[in-house]
Amino acid sequence: MFARHVDDAAAVDAAARGWCADDPYSADRPLHRGEQPKTWLLPQGRPEFFGPFAAEYEAAWNRAKETIARSGVRVQQVDVSLLQEAAALLYEGPLVAERWSALAGFIEAHPGSTFPVTETILRSGAQAEHTAAALFRAQHRLAEIRRAVRSWLRQAVLVLPTCGGTWTREQVGSDPIGTNSKMGLYTNHCNLLDLSALAVPAGQAGPELPFGVTLFGLPEEEANLTEAARFLLRQQDTIRVAVCGLHMRGMPLEPQMTGLDAVFAEEAQTAPVYRLYKLATEPPKPGLVRTPLGGAPIAVELWDMPMESFGRFTASIPAPLGIGRVELADGRSVPGFVCEAYAAEGALDITVSGGWRNAMAEV
């Protein structure tokens, strides 16, 4: 089921859950009281990312991992290559013959009526190498993988990217099967291994580019996924803040950011509507002033700060500095350091440096 909130999904699940007399594969799995998983599992090494936004997806995944790590839960790494082996059987092995057995009659009776890519995949189930013996070998291997994965997942939750990337329409058109297969890289194993899963948002990979993670668990512990999802979403309740001076990485006030559990997200530039000044304070601080004319892009850093820390942070900022809306070069608008215009009078204009870090390097 798809819903805007975890609680809504749980409510629909409660209504839909239960044994179906018309389905010979149906199973009655009562939902027990959920509890927080004792261990959060993450994949060993660097997951595969793909498509034109691979770097952005990887950065978003790294931020999601950092969110989990700083939450204080017990984290363990596992080798997920077994999951990918299982996933490959969905389209590349004899299991696809099940689809052909269900739809072959329609395809043969209505030539050309099926979407060509779909028909190509379905007809692959009729290949000569997909023998009964091959099917049993695949089922036996799946049983081995299922047993190994169950040993990881007892009282645990596995976290993977929901998708490792996305594609342009042109890329899908030129390789529809390959691109579709990649989209399921981190999910195709789920049904074959009889797992439960819950996908939740995990921030943005970029402008209009949402990112998410999927939580996997054992079906008899499915209620734990709801508790884990609620917990993770609370950890993501952050505000992205732009800093342009002493609070940047490696600068004297960086400990104020990390002390409030803020996490560096990305480097960025403002829209070309600002001027930067070196204020006559001790120590010297930058003043970012919006101007109607003669502005330039200024380098900033974006940090994700817990909402509960944001109020304390803003209250600690002395005049003439404060927190306002900072317009970024890519069109985003985020809270960030700004300076009252009167403070620029008599201050050194360092706009030409392009940012505080460059200006300090030139001193």
Side-chain angles (χ1 to χ4, degrees), residues 13-20 25-33 146 150 190-197 217-223:
D13 175 73
R17 179 175 295 272
W19 183 73
C20 178
Y25 286 97
S26 179
D28 189 13
R29 286 175 169 163
L31 198 62
H32 302 292
R33 183 180 179 86
R146 189 178 297 121
R150 284 186 63 85
C190 186
N191 290 352
L192 294 177
L193 298 181
D194 194 25
L195 301 180
S196 296
L218 298 176
E220 60 268 31
E221 298 177 2
E222 187 172 305

Side-chain angles (χ1 to χ4, degrees), residues 68-79:
I68 294 170
R70 75 168 186 262
S71 72
V73 299
R74 180 175 181 265
V75 176
Q76 181 178 329
Q77 294 188 341
V78 292
D79 180 1

Side-chain angles (χ1 to χ4, degrees), residues 13-278:
D13 175 73
R17 179 175 295 272
W19 183 73
C20 178
D22 296 332
D23 183 356
Y25 286 97
S26 179
D28 189 13
R29 286 175 169 163
L31 198 62
H32 302 292
R33 183 180 179 86
E35 58 184 29
Q36 282 293 335
K38 293 184 177 180
T39 307
W40 289 63
L41 305 176
L42 295 173
Q44 287 178 351
R46 174 179 173 270
E48 180 183 352
F49 297 92
F50 51 81
F53 303 104
E56 290 87 342
Y57 270 73
E58 183 171 10
W61 166 246
N62 288 334
R63 290 194 294 271
K65 287 198 305 179
E66 179 62 29
T67 297
I68 294 170
R70 75 168 186 262
S71 72
V73 299
R74 180 175 181 265
V75 176
Q76 181 178 329
Q77 294 188 341
V78 292
D79 180 1
V80 297
S81 61
L82 282 178
L83 304 182
Q84 293 165 357
E85 181 184 348
L89 292 171
L90 187 63
Y91 292 112
E92 301 169 20
L95 295 174
V96 75
E98 181 180 15
R99 293 188 173 120
W100 182 241
S101 71
L103 295 169
F106 177 85
I107 299 295
E108 300 289 10
H110 302 83
S113 64
T114 309
F115 189 59
V117 177
T118 305
E119 182 168 340
T120 297
I121 295 173
L122 290 172
R123 286 189 178 277
S124 70
Q127 294 176 4
E129 63 265 28
H130 293 339
T131 63
L135 176 59
F136 279 114
R137 283 194 294 271
Q139 290 177 333
H140 293 166
R141 181 55 181 155
L142 276 176
E144 293 173 346
I145 297 173
R146 189 178 297 121
R147 181 173 59 181
V149 172
R150 284 186 63 85
S151 70
W152 305 345
L153 283 174
R154 290 189 185 95
Q155 296 185 309
V157 59
L158 172 66
V159 186
L160 294 174
T162 298
C163 289
T166 189
W167 305 102
T168 65
R169 290 183 176 86
E170 291 75 18
Q171 288 171 317
V172 173
S174 63
D175 182 16
I177 294 177
T179 52
N180 180 69
S181 178
K182 284 291 187 185
M183 292 296 287
L185 182 63
Y186 298 114
T187 52
N188 282 347
H189 63 272
C190 186
N191 290 352
L192 294 177
L193 298 181
D194 194 25
L195 301 180
S196 296
L198 184 67
V200 295
Q204 296 284 119
E208 299 185 357
L209 196 64
F211 180 77
V213 297
T214 300
L215 313 178
F216 297 91
L218 298 176
E220 60 268 31
E221 298 177 2
E222 187 172 305
N224 294 359
L225 295 180
T226 304
E227 296 304 314
R230 291 190 181 111
F231 175 81
L232 183 57
L233 290 171
R234 286 197 300 272
Q235 305 308 307
Q236 296 173 14
D237 201 4
T238 61
I239 295 177
R240 183 153 291 187
V241 181
V243 299
C244 60
L246 300 186
H247 291 83
M248 295 193 297
R249 293 170 298 165
M251 295 290 179
L253 297 185
E254 180 189 5
Q256 287 189 8
M257 303 296 287
T258 56
L260 292 169
D261 293 326
V263 177
F264 170 76
E266 60 180 297
E267 295 179 347
Q269 284 193 320
T270 70
V273 293
Y274 296 91
R275 298 200 70 79
L276 189 67
Y277 297 89
K278 183 178 180 181

